[in-house]
Amino acid sequence: MEKLRPSATGLIALLAVLCACSAASVALISVRMQQTGSEELEFLRWNLALAWLAMVLGLATFAAHRWRMPGPVIISAGVAWLLFLPNAPYLVTDMVHAGNTWESVPLWFDIVMFATFGGTGLLLGYASLYLVHSVVSDRFGAVAGWALTFATLALSGAGIYLGRVLRLNSWDPATQPELFLSIARRRLEDPMGNPGLYTVIAMMSVMLVLGYVVFVASARVAGGVVERRLGRT
């Protein structure tokens, strides 16, 4: 397996795309709020900010590795990133609100808006994972990098379930540790008490993995194109 090596040029281009997608998302929700005079979907901006927090923490983990900072610093940044990562793909699930809002808005507009937010969140999640993946791959090898990636995406699937179904937040493990321990204890005592849980998590995890594989392949192709063009100049 080939190691991931994000270049400075590739990172700048990726951040530019992410900023453009985020600007488009914010513009759409702003138009909706201006036309309806309602802030019922204001939470989309907050969810997008949380997705960006995952990206910032991914960048921090990547930078700490590149600057050869102590292991505990890299691990701390990585753990914080892992806690907030599910917030990025979580934006995709906000599509459930399309057609179920209070204000009378054309359905096609809401679908486009939710899809833009969801796509942006997914890209932010994959981009941050790509950075952390490269760190693990560089330190422990390509196999370890992909193993951690698959495990992370599975945990993200579980995190999305906890957020969408149980309405929990990324900071709850620190602010309400007893709640998480209670949930874990119930599942350990009765592993098959909620079989639908495993089905939902498995489906989301598989979709996230497939999407990430496509993202990595696209990033490599785009990186190769950029390098060839820069080599000609």
Side-chain angles (χ1 to χ4, degrees), residues 145-211:
W146 279 105
L148 181 69
T149 294
F150 292 146
T152 296
L153 291 173
L155 290 173
S156 293
I160 293 172
Y161 175 88
L162 292 174
R164 174 56 63 190
V165 179
L166 301 185
R167 311 305 297 166
L168 298 177
N169 298 304
S170 295
W171 49 88
D172 284 339
T175 60
Q176 303 184 68
E178 69 285 350
L179 176 60
F180 274 82
L181 290 175
S182 175
I183 294 173
R185 184 167 54 251
R186 286 201 301 270
R187 288 283 65 82
L188 290 173
E189 292 174 350
D190 185 13
M192 300 308 297
N194 185 7
L197 164 67
Y198 304 110
T199 302
V200 172
I201 292 177
M203 291 177 59
M204 287 190 293
S205 300
V206 168
M207 288 188 291
L208 289 174
V209 167
L210 292 176

